[in-house]
Amino acid sequence: MDPNNRGPEEYGQDGDHQAPRPRPHRDPITSDFGQPALVRTAQLVSGDFLLTVNPVDGSEIEVCPPTERPARPEKLTAAERAEAERAALPPVPPGPVRTVLGLLAREDERERLVRLLARGRSVRLTGPAGSGRTSLLDVVAEDCAGLAPDGVVRLSGHHRTADDLLHDLFHAVHRAPLHRPGRTELLAHLREVGAVVILDDVEFGGTALDELLDATPECAFLLGTTPDVPAPSADSAVEEVFLTGLERSDGVELLERAAGRALTEEEANWAGDLWFESEGLPLRFVQAGALLRRRDRERAGADAVDEFGVFADARPDDDTPYDATEADDVPLPSLGEAAAPAPLLASRLSASARATLEFAVALGGEVPHQAHLPALVGDTHADAALGELTDCGLVSPVGSRYRLAAGVLTQLESAGYTDAVRERARSAAQHYAWWAGHPSVTPERVCAEADAVLAALAVLVPATTPAAEDEESPAVQLARTAAPAF
């Protein structure tokens, strides 16, 4: 991976929707893990203290001198907010543009959420993993543009506490680099923020949620969460909206959209069984549509061509209607395979996509950014793997990145994807240590990969032993290199 060039695909620019062009050959990408990393130090103001992070000579903390105290933070302009909102979206996968399935059978919930937010009410949208909660939040965020003076702020609650989210909201609205205000100053600034806050994957409720809401009286929150998360306290006045599975007819329609054609009678009956087994979760129908598309290619005799492989221009056009009357020698997947489709879908992906899944399993479900995949996998075009995984419904957006979709990690672990966990985590740690120490890589970019970095450390640190005098373990090297950015 060239750390100096991330490419437009990382930000979802308009060019992502142009017709795909043949991808030119790129020189092999290698990273010299033996090259000494740049020693990077950082200084930041946290409350009344000045913290100097130095991974070589040791970090220091002291009372912040008056000359080092930052000026009062200013709010971002409308243009800066738009840029920040764009950066908060997950990257658009490279490769052929896929059909957008759209939101199905959620208009009532959509209208109710927008109506409540427009009245300044905070709402908790509760739905099981795979129910399409994030897709609904994305649409509501677009509907709420212009409702509040500080716009729409998108935050991720994945592995975040209430205190973390207060600081995230502060930095999403204010221009305050390297400044983490103390509690009193933080609350004073947040009381002046008026925004619609779209907060997905919230992992707490009760008094912690009360603390978040009380600190932001001028904000309206739309909280996306799962049923296992504690409910808001009785006095919080948070509206509750529940998201259930789709009706059977809607599930069949979603499957037809995902498959790109009408279903045969046998497939419609199969879809009905899947609807009953999955309780109508949209994710299962998206994945089942991927199974049908791959089955269609096999029935057309195109199974020898990788969907994203070097002979991709020779494969049949995805828009070509399938003739359901031709001989069928490829049976439908069993109901068990459709209900837990990750191993079957993975078996029909490219080698780069399967290697990406191995890294994701090793990192506890975190999918490395597509710009890192060529160096991690050892294939100059491995960034296209994210498009394959997204198209199959094996990964889902979480904040500005991707994770394995609901249930996929467990399914892949059962299928033997844990055999090389330590080796994959070690490779990821070596790569991220080299990358984070590169002079062109900013602390902000390292922070964007924080979850993958911490996941690699979580695997390696428990088994780390003292290294030889002239050696350094990958875990220690990564920790020292990434610490100034964190």
Side-chain angles (χ1 to χ4, degrees), residues 107-169:
E107 283 303 316
D108 290 344
E109 293 89 347
R110 176 181 178 177
E111 292 176 1
R112 183 182 176 192
L113 291 173
V114 174
R115 185 168 60 250
L116 289 169
L117 293 170
R119 290 163 48 192
R121 304 295 297 274
S122 289
V123 193
R124 191 174 94 142
L125 177 65
T126 304
S131 62
R133 186 187 66 246
T134 299
S135 298
L136 178 56
L137 293 183
D138 289 341
V139 175
V140 172
E142 296 176 2
D143 293 341
C144 291
L147 280 184
D150 290 317
V152 175
V153 176
R154 303 176 67 96
L155 300 177
S156 173
H158 183 68
H159 290 172
R160 308 294 285 171
T161 66
D163 189 60
D164 292 333
L165 290 169
L166 290 175
H167 284 279
D168 291 345
L169 178 57

Coordinates of all heavy atoms in Angstrom, one line a residue, residues 107-169:
E107 N -41.4 2.8 5.4 CA -41.8 4.1 5.2 C -42.5 4.7 6.5 O -42.3 5.8 6.9 CB -42.8 4.3 4.1 CG -42.1 4.3 2.7 CD -41.0 5.4 2.6 OE1 -41.3 6.5 3.1 OE2 -39.9 5.1 2.1
D108 N -43.3 3.8 7.2 CA -44.0 4.3 8.4 C -43.0 4.7 9.5 O -43.1 5.7 10.1 CB -44.9 3.2 8.9 CG -46.1 3.0 8.0 OD1 -46.4 3.9 7.2 OD2 -46.8 1.9 8.1
E109 N -42.0 3.8 9.7 CA -41.0 4.1 10.7 C -40.2 5.3 10.3 O -39.8 6.1 11.1 CB -40.0 2.9 10.8 CG -40.7 1.7 11.5 CD -41.3 0.7 10.4 OE1 -41.5 1.2 9.3 OE2 -41.6 -0.4 10.8
R110 N -39.9 5.4 9.0 CA -39.1 6.6 8.5 C -39.8 7.9 8.8 O -39.2 8.8 9.3 CB -38.8 6.4 7.0 CG -38.1 7.6 6.3 CD -38.0 7.3 4.9 NE -37.4 8.4 4.1 CZ -37.1 8.3 2.8 NH1 -37.4 7.3 2.1 NH2 -36.5 9.4 2.2
E111 N -41.1 8.0 8.5 CA -41.9 9.2 8.7 C -42.0 9.5 10.2 O -41.9 10.7 10.6 CB -43.3 9.0 8.0 CG -43.2 9.0 6.5 CD -44.6 8.7 5.9 OE1 -45.6 8.6 6.7 OE2 -44.7 8.6 4.7
R112 N -42.2 8.5 11.0 CA -42.3 8.7 12.4 C -41.0 9.3 13.0 O -41.1 10.2 13.8 CB -42.8 7.4 13.1 CG -43.0 7.6 14.6 CD -43.4 6.3 15.3 NE -43.5 6.5 16.7 CZ -43.6 5.5 17.6 NH1 -43.6 4.3 17.2 NH2 -43.8 5.8 18.9
L113 N -39.9 8.7 12.6 CA -38.6 9.1 13.1 C -38.4 10.6 12.8 O -37.9 11.4 13.6 CB -37.5 8.2 12.6 CG -37.5 6.8 13.2 CD1 -36.5 6.0 12.4 CD2 -37.3 6.8 14.7
V114 N -38.6 10.9 11.5 CA -38.3 12.3 11.1 C -39.2 13.3 11.8 O -38.8 14.4 12.2 CB -38.5 12.4 9.5 CG1 -38.4 13.9 9.1 CG2 -37.4 11.6 8.8
R115 N -40.5 12.9 12.0 CA -41.4 13.8 12.6 C -41.0 14.0 14.1 O -41.1 15.2 14.6 CB -42.8 13.1 12.6 CG -43.9 14.0 13.1 CD -45.3 13.4 12.8 NE -45.5 12.1 13.3 CZ -45.6 11.0 12.6 NH1 -45.4 11.1 11.3 NH2 -45.8 9.8 13.2
L116 N -40.6 13.0 14.8 CA -40.2 13.2 16.2 C -38.9 14.0 16.3 O -38.8 14.9 17.2 CB -40.0 11.8 16.8 CG -41.2 11.0 17.1 CD1 -40.8 9.5 17.5 CD2 -42.1 11.6 18.2
L117 N -37.9 13.8 15.4 CA -36.7 14.5 15.4 C -37.0 16.0 15.1 O -36.3 16.9 15.7 CB -35.7 13.9 14.5 CG -35.1 12.6 14.9 CD1 -34.3 12.0 13.7 CD2 -34.3 12.6 16.1
A118 N -37.9 16.3 14.2 CA -38.2 17.6 13.8 C -38.8 18.4 15.0 O -38.7 19.6 15.1 CB -39.2 17.7 12.6
R119 N -39.4 17.7 15.9 CA -40.0 18.3 17.1 C -39.0 18.4 18.3 O -39.3 18.8 19.4 CB -41.2 17.5 17.6 CG -42.4 17.6 16.6 CD -43.4 16.5 16.9 NE -43.8 16.3 18.3 CZ -44.4 15.3 18.8 NH1 -44.8 14.3 17.9 NH2 -44.7 15.2 20.1
G120 N -37.7 18.0 18.0 CA -36.7 18.1 19.0 C -36.7 16.9 20.0 O -36.0 17.0 21.0
R121 N -37.4 15.8 19.7 CA -37.5 14.7 20.6 C -36.3 13.7 20.2 O -35.9 13.6 19.1 CB -38.8 13.9 20.4 CG -40.0 14.8 20.6 CD -40.1 15.3 22.1 NE -40.3 14.1 23.0 CZ -41.4 13.6 23.3 NH1 -42.6 14.1 22.8 NH2 -41.5 12.6 24.2
S122 N -35.8 13.0 21.2 CA -34.8 12.0 21.0 C -35.5 10.6 20.9 O -36.5 10.4 21.6 CB -33.8 12.0 22.2 OG -33.0 13.1 22.1
V123 N -35.0 9.8 20.1 CA -35.7 8.5 19.8 C -34.7 7.4 19.8 O -33.5 7.5 19.4 CB -36.4 8.5 18.4 CG1 -37.3 7.4 18.2 CG2 -37.0 9.9 18.1
R124 N -35.1 6.2 20.3 CA -34.3 5.0 20.3 C -34.9 4.0 19.3 O -36.1 3.6 19.5 CB -34.2 4.4 21.7 CG -33.1 3.3 21.7 CD -32.8 2.8 23.1 NE -33.7 1.6 23.4 CZ -33.2 0.6 24.1 NH1 -32.0 0.6 24.6 NH2 -34.0 -0.5 24.3
L125 N -34.2 3.7 18.3 CA -34.7 2.8 17.3 C -34.0 1.4 17.6 O -32.8 1.2 17.5 CB -34.2 3.2 15.9 CG -34.6 2.2 14.7 CD1 -36.1 2.1 14.6 CD2 -34.0 2.7 13.4
T126 N -34.9 0.5 18.0 CA -34.4 -0.8 18.5 C -34.8 -1.9 17.5 O -35.9 -2.1 17.1 CB -35.0 -1.2 19.9 OG1 -34.7 -0.1 20.8 CG2 -34.4 -2.5 20.4
G127 N -33.7 -2.6 17.0 CA -34.0 -3.7 16.1 C -32.9 -4.7 16.2 O -31.7 -4.4 16.5
P128 N -33.2 -6.0 15.9 CA -32.2 -7.0 16.0 C -31.1 -6.8 14.9 O -31.3 -6.2 13.9 CB -32.9 -8.3 15.8 CG -34.2 -7.9 15.1 CD -34.5 -6.6 15.6
A129 N -29.9 -7.4 15.2 CA -28.8 -7.3 14.2 C -29.3 -7.9 12.9 O -29.8 -9.0 12.9 CB -27.6 -8.0 14.7
G130 N -29.1 -7.2 11.8 CA -29.5 -7.7 10.5 C -30.9 -7.2 10.1 O -31.4 -7.6 9.0
S131 N -31.6 -6.4 10.9 CA -32.9 -5.9 10.6 C -32.9 -4.7 9.7 O -34.0 -4.2 9.3 CB -33.6 -5.5 11.9 OG -33.0 -4.5 12.6
G132 N -31.8 -4.2 9.2 CA -31.8 -3.0 8.3 C -31.8 -1.7 9.1 O -32.1 -0.7 8.5
R133 N -31.4 -1.7 10.4 CA -31.5 -0.5 11.2 C -30.6 0.6 10.6 O -31.0 1.7 10.5 CB -31.1 -0.9 12.6 CG -31.2 0.2 13.6 CD -30.7 -0.2 15.0 NE -29.2 -0.4 14.9 CZ -28.6 -1.6 15.1 NH1 -29.3 -2.7 15.3 NH2 -27.3 -1.7 15.0
T134 N -29.3 0.2 10.3 CA -28.4 1.2 9.8 C -28.8 1.8 8.5 O -28.7 3.0 8.3 CB -27.0 0.5 9.6 OG1 -26.6 0.0 10.9 CG2 -26.0 1.5 9.1
S135 N -29.4 1.0 7.6 CA -30.0 1.6 6.3 C -31.1 2.6 6.6 O -31.1 3.6 5.9 CB -30.5 0.4 5.4 OG -29.4 -0.5 5.1
L136 N -31.9 2.3 7.5 CA -33.0 3.2 7.9 C -32.4 4.5 8.5 O -32.8 5.6 8.1 CB -34.0 2.6 8.9 CG -35.1 3.4 9.4 CD1 -35.9 4.0 8.2 CD2 -36.0 2.6 10.3
L137 N -31.4 4.4 9.3 CA -30.8 5.6 9.9 C -30.1 6.5 8.8 O -30.2 7.7 8.9 CB -29.7 5.2 10.9 CG -30.2 4.5 12.2 CD1 -29.0 4.3 13.1 CD2 -31.2 5.3 12.9
D138 N -29.5 5.8 7.8 CA -28.9 6.6 6.7 C -30.0 7.4 6.0 O -29.7 8.6 5.7 CB -28.3 5.6 5.7 CG -27.0 5.0 6.3 OD1 -26.5 5.5 7.3 OD2 -26.6 3.9 5.7
V139 N -31.1 6.9 5.7 CA -32.2 7.6 5.0 C -32.7 8.7 5.9 O -32.9 9.8 5.4 CB -33.3 6.6 4.6 CG1 -34.4 7.4 4.0 CG2 -32.8 5.6 3.6
V140 N -32.9 8.5 7.2 CA -33.4 9.5 8.1 C -32.4 10.6 8.2 O -32.8 11.8 8.3 CB -33.8 8.9 9.4 CG1 -34.1 10.0 10.4 CG2 -34.9 7.9 9.3
A141 N -31.2 10.3 8.2 CA -30.1 11.4 8.3 C -30.2 12.3 7.1 O -30.1 13.5 7.3 CB -28.7 10.7 8.3
E142 N -30.5 11.8 5.9 CA -30.7 12.6 4.7 C -31.9 13.5 4.9 O -32.0 14.7 4.5 CB -30.7 11.8 3.5 CG -29.5 11.0 3.2 CD -29.6 10.1 2.0 OE1 -30.7 10.1 1.4 OE2 -28.6 9.4 1.6
D143 N -33.0 12.9 5.4 CA -34.3 13.6 5.6 C -34.1 14.8 6.6 O -34.9 15.8 6.5 CB -35.4 12.7 6.0 CG -35.7 11.6 5.0 OD1 -35.4 11.9 3.8 OD2 -36.3 10.6 5.4
C144 N -33.2 14.7 7.5 CA -33.1 15.7 8.6 C -32.1 16.8 8.3 O -31.9 17.6 9.1 CB -32.7 15.0 9.9 SG -34.0 13.9 10.6
A145 N -31.5 16.7 7.1 CA -30.6 17.8 6.7 C -31.3 19.2 6.8 O -32.3 19.3 6.2 CB -30.0 17.5 5.3
G146 N -30.7 20.1 7.5 CA -31.2 21.5 7.6 C -32.2 21.7 8.8 O -32.7 22.8 9.0
L147 N -32.4 20.6 9.5 CA -33.4 20.8 10.7 C -32.8 21.6 11.8 O -33.5 22.3 12.5 CB -33.8 19.4 11.2 CG -34.9 18.6 10.4 CD1 -35.3 17.4 11.2 CD2 -36.1 19.5 10.2
A148 N -31.5 21.4 12.1 CA -30.8 22.0 13.2 C -29.7 22.9 12.8 O -29.1 22.8 11.7 CB -30.3 20.9 14.1
P149 N -29.4 23.9 13.6 CA -28.3 24.9 13.3 C -27.0 24.3 13.1 O -26.2 24.8 12.2 CB -28.4 25.9 14.4 CG -29.1 25.2 15.6 CD -30.0 24.3 14.9
D150 N -26.6 23.2 13.8 CA -25.3 22.6 13.6 C -25.4 21.3 12.8 O -24.5 20.5 12.8 CB -24.7 22.2 15.0 CG -24.3 23.5 15.8 OD1 -23.7 24.4 15.1 OD2 -24.6 23.6 17.0
G151 N -26.5 21.2 12.1 CA -26.6 20.1 11.1 C -26.9 18.8 11.7 O -27.3 18.6 12.8
V152 N -26.5 17.8 10.8 CA -26.6 16.4 11.2 C -25.2 15.9 11.6 O -24.3 16.0 10.8 CB -27.3 15.5 10.1 CG1 -27.3 14.0 10.5 CG2 -28.7 16.0 9.8
V153 N -25.1 15.3 12.7 CA -23.8 14.7 13.2 C -24.0 13.2 13.3 O -24.9 12.7 13.9 CB -23.4 15.3 14.5 CG1 -22.1 14.6 15.0 CG2 -23.2 16.8 14.4
R154 N -23.1 12.5 12.6 CA -23.2 11.0 12.6 C -22.0 10.5 13.5 O -20.9 10.8 13.3 CB -23.0 10.4 11.2 CG -24.0 10.9 10.2 CD -23.7 10.4 8.8 NE -23.9 9.0 8.8 CZ -25.0 8.4 8.4 NH1 -26.0 9.1 8.0 NH2 -25.1 7.1 8.3
L155 N -22.4 9.7 14.5 CA -21.4 9.1 15.4 C -21.7 7.6 15.5 O -22.8 7.1 15.2 CB -21.6 9.7 16.8 CG -21.4 11.2 17.0 CD1 -21.6 11.6 18.4 CD2 -20.0 11.6 16.5
S156 N -20.7 6.9 15.9 CA -20.8 5.4 16.1 C -20.6 5.1 17.6 O -19.7 5.6 18.2 CB -19.7 4.7 15.3 OG -19.7 3.3 15.6
G157 N -21.5 4.3 18.1 CA -21.4 4.0 19.5 C -20.7 2.6 19.8 O -20.7 2.2 20.9
H158 N -20.2 2.0 18.7 CA -19.5 0.7 18.8 C -18.3 0.9 19.7 O -17.4 1.6 19.5 CB -19.1 0.2 17.5 CG -18.5 -1.1 17.5 ND1 -19.3 -2.3 17.8 CD2 -17.3 -1.6 17.2 CE1 -18.5 -3.3 17.7 NE2 -17.3 -2.9 17.4
H159 N -18.3 0.2 20.9 CA -17.2 0.1 21.8 C -17.0 1.5 22.4 O -15.8 1.8 22.8 CB -16.0 -0.4 21.2 CG -16.0 -1.9 20.9 ND1 -15.0 -2.5 20.2 CD2 -17.0 -2.8 21.2 CE1 -15.4 -3.8 20.1 NE2 -16.6 -4.0 20.7
R160 N -18.0 2.4 22.5 CA -17.8 3.8 23.0 C -18.7 3.9 24.2 O -19.8 3.5 24.3 CB -18.2 4.8 21.9 CG -17.6 4.6 20.6 CD -16.1 4.9 20.6 NE -15.7 6.3 20.8 CZ -14.5 6.7 21.0 NH1 -13.5 5.9 21.2 NH2 -14.2 8.0 21.1
T161 N -18.1 4.6 25.2 CA -18.8 5.0 26.4 C -19.5 6.3 26.2 O -19.3 7.0 25.2 CB -17.9 5.1 27.6 OG1 -17.0 6.2 27.4 CG2 -17.1 3.8 27.8
A162 N -20.4 6.7 27.2 CA -21.0 8.0 27.1 C -20.0 9.1 27.1 O -20.1 10.1 26.4 CB -22.0 8.2 28.3
D163 N -19.0 9.0 27.9 CA -17.9 10.1 28.0 C -17.2 10.1 26.6 O -16.9 11.2 26.2 CB -16.9 9.8 29.1 CG -16.0 10.9 29.3 OD1 -16.4 12.0 29.7 OD2 -14.8 10.7 29.2
D164 N -16.9 9.0 26.0 CA -16.3 9.0 24.7 C -17.1 9.7 23.7 O -16.6 10.5 22.9 CB -16.0 7.6 24.2 CG -15.0 6.8 25.0 OD1 -14.1 7.4 25.6 OD2 -15.1 5.5 25.1
L165 N -18.4 9.5 23.7 CA -19.3 10.1 22.7 C -19.5 11.6 23.0 O -19.6 12.3 22.0 CB -20.7 9.4 22.8 CG -20.6 8.0 22.2 CD1 -21.9 7.2 22.5 CD2 -20.3 7.9 20.7
L166 N -19.4 12.0 24.2 CA -19.4 13.5 24.4 C -18.2 14.2 23.8 O -18.4 15.2 23.2 CB -19.4 13.8 26.0 CG -20.7 13.4 26.7 CD1 -20.6 13.6 28.2 CD2 -21.9 14.2 26.2
H167 N -17.1 13.6 23.9 CA -15.9 14.1 23.3 C -16.0 14.0 21.7 O -15.6 14.9 21.0 CB -14.6 13.5 23.8 CG -14.2 13.9 25.1 ND1 -13.5 15.1 25.4 CD2 -14.4 13.4 26.4 CE1 -13.3 15.3 26.7 NE2 -13.8 14.2 27.3
D168 N -16.5 12.9 21.3 CA -16.7 12.7 19.8 C -17.6 13.8 19.3 O -17.4 14.4 18.2 CB -17.3 11.3 19.5 CG -16.3 10.2 19.8 OD1 -15.1 10.5 19.9 OD2 -16.7 9.0 19.8
L169 N -18.7 14.1 20.0 CA -19.6 15.1 19.5 C -19.0 16.5 19.5 O -19.2 17.3 18.6 CB -20.9 15.1 20.4 CG -22.0 16.2 20.1 CD1 -22.4 16.1 18.6 CD2 -23.1 16.0 21.1

